Structures are given as structure tokens and as C-alpha cells.
């Protein structure tokens, strides 16, 4: 019985993911999903309390592998600073500007100002966790003399801002052209350079 229940939950999640891609968040209703699956609305609500919760689960499922790859990099100290920051930055940029994450960011922007727990859940599952682990990694690099001593949380925020600096306006104003691996590499390299100029350890810091 448990396997059948889990299979149905996954079927609902997968169908919702396809519907969100085709119709967008606003264009997808629980009634439409029920009709598409051949279930009753009551069945859907027995698995997911709301469309927002279902959207959140779709997001987590679609981005989990990318998030795991980033956390895996952060499990080890940043020994080869430029190389490690470049690899990390490329993974973060790919995640932030993946179709799935851009979709939820657009949703959160459209829902701004409304009482909605979805924003908080997405923040705690993504940006908040990344901020903690990235700031810890930067603190370790500071302790080893690879970066100048500073507030690691602020440094982590500056790092992410640099990664997004060449992307964010195109995202906000929906003027993005087709992105490529070459663009990710180029923008990340420039972000790494700027970050190291701002936070790199000077000769006196290393002595």
C-alpha cells in the first residue's frame, strides 16, 4: 500500500511539473491537474495541501541533483582558490539560471507582498542553506590566509552578487537570450577575478 501511495504522489508531482512548464503557475489549477491525471481534486489535496506546496515539491525534485553537486564541492576546503571558486561559481550560475529556478523566482516576484509561505520555504531550502555553507567555506579560506579576514557572510553575499551581476537585469526584464556554457564560463571567470581582487589576501596578510 505504501508503494502505491508513493507512486501516486510521484505521478501527481510529475504531471504537475509538466503542466507548470506548459501553462505556467497561474495557468495551472488543481482542477486541471485532477482532470489530466483522472483523479479527483480531493485525491490531489490528500497529497498536497495547495498548488504552492506542489510547485515547491516540483522545484525541489528538479533541482536536487544540481544542489547536491554544489554541496559536494563545499564539503572539501577551497585549497586551489581560483579553480575551486570557478567550479563552484559555474555550478551556482547554472542552478540560478536554470528554467526551473527562474520559474520559481518569477513566481515569487509575482507574489511579492502577498501573505504566502512559499517564499520562505524556498529561501530556507536554497539561498539560506547556501549562505551558511559558502560563508563557512570562505571563513576556512580566510583562516588559511587565502582570503583577507572579513565578515564571511558579507563576503558570501558579495560573491553571489558578482556571479549574478551580468545575468540579473536580463532575468528581471525578461530580455534573456539563449544561454550557453561559454557564457556561464565567461561570466563566472570575471566574477572570480573581481571577488579575488576584493577579498584576496595581500602579501602582508600571508605573513
Amino acid at each position: 500500500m505504501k508503494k502505491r501511495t508513493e507512486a501516486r504522489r510521484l505521478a501527481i508531482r510529475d504531471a504537475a511539473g509538466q503542466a507548470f512548464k506548459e501553462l505556467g503557475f497561474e495557468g495551472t489549477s488543481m482542477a486541471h491537474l485532477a482532470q489530466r491525471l483522472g483523479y479527483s481534486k480531493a485525491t490531489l489535496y490528500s497529497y498536497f495541501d495547495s498548488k504552492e506546496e506542489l510547485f515547491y515539491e516540483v522545484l525541489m525534485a528538479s533541482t536536487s541533483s544540481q544542489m547536491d553537486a554544489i554541496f559536494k564541492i563545499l564539503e572539501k576546503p577551497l585549497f586551489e582558490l581560483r579553480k575551486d571558486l570557478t567550479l563552484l561559481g559555474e555550478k551556482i550560475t547554472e542552478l540560478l539560471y536554470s528554467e526551473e529556478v527562474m520559474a520559481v523566482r518569477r513566481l515569487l516576484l509575482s507574489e511579492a507582498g502577498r501573505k504566502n509561505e512559499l517564499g520562505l520555504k524556498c529561501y530556507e531550502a536554497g539561498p539560506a542553506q547556501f549562505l551558511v555553507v559558502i560563508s563557512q567555506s570562505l571563513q576556512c579560506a580566510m583562516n588559511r590566509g587565502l582570503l583577507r579576514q572579513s565578515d564571511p557572510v558579507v563576503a558570501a553575499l558579495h560573491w553571489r552578487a558578482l556571479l549574478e551581476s551580468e545575468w540579473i537585469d536580463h532575468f528581471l526584464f525578461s530580455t534573456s537570450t539563449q544561454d550557453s556554457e561559454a557564457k556561464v564560463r565567461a561570466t563566472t571567470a570575471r566574477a572570480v577575478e573581481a571577488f579575488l581582487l576584493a577579498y584576496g589576501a595581500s602579501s602582508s596578510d600571508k605573513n
Side-chain angles (χ1 to χ4, degrees):
M1 183 67 180
K2 184 175 181 180
K3 288 185 178 179
R4 288 199 299 273
T5 300
E6 182 62 17
R8 179 170 287 188
R9 181 183 183 86
L10 293 176
I12 294 170
R13 189 194 70 191
D14 292 345
Q18 188 61 39
F20 288 135
K21 285 182 181 179
E22 294 172 2
L23 307 171
F25 180 80
E26 290 299 329
T28 302
S29 67
M30 296 296 265
H32 170 81
L33 288 175
Q35 184 178 28
R36 177 178 288 209
L37 286 161
Y39 299 158
S40 67
K41 284 176 65 176
T43 297
L44 266 61
Y45 281 112
S46 70
Y47 287 90
F48 300 95
D49 291 337
S50 65
K51 184 171 71 169
E52 288 79 10
E53 181 183 335
L54 182 50
F55 187 92
Y56 172 81
E57 182 131 341
V58 168
L59 172 71
M60 290 298 103
S62 62
T63 60
S64 60
S65 61
Q66 291 169 289
M67 292 176 68
D68 288 345
I70 293 172
F71 284 120
K72 190 171 183 64
I73 296 171
L74 290 165
E75 286 176 358
K76 301 177 181 178
L78 303 174
F79 284 119
E80 298 180 72
L81 199 57
R82 185 180 295 272
K83 177 182 176 182
D84 291 341
L85 286 176
T86 298
L87 177 60
L88 180 62
E90 289 175 358
K91 294 294 184 184
I92 291 173
T93 302
E94 288 169 357
L95 174 63
L96 289 174
Y97 290 93
S98 65
E99 287 299 323
E100 293 82 5
V101 173
M102 285 196 295
V104 80
R105 293 172 84 180
R106 290 189 182 101
L107 166 63
L108 296 176
L109 286 171
S110 70
E111 295 290 311
R114 301 180 189 178
K115 188 176 180 181
N116 193 323
E117 294 183 359
L118 181 61
L120 179 59
K121 286 183 68 174
C122 290
Y123 174 75
E124 290 177 342
Q129 288 190 44
F130 283 133
L131 182 59
V132 170
V133 294
I134 291 173
S135 61
Q136 289 173 344
S137 292
L138 295 180
Q139 179 67 76
C140 290
M142 292 173 191
N143 294 342
R144 295 197 306 276
L146 299 176
L147 295 172
R148 66 175 176 81
Q149 287 294 332
S150 59
D151 186 326
V153 174
V154 173
L157 290 170
H158 287 171
W159 165 234
R160 194 187 72 188
L162 285 167
L163 290 174
E164 291 207 70
S165 62
E166 297 185 52
W167 297 78
I168 189 66
D169 282 348
H170 290 294
F171 163 71
L172 291 174
F173 295 98
S174 300
T175 60
S176 297
T177 56
Q178 186 173 6
D179 300 321
S180 64
E181 292 182 10
K183 181 180 177 181
V184 171
R185 288 196 299 270
T187 59
T188 301
R190 289 189 285 269
V192 169
E193 185 66 28
F195 182 77
L196 292 178
L197 285 172
Y199 284 95
S202 64
S203 303
S204 58
D205 292 328
K206 296 177 181 178
N207 295 330

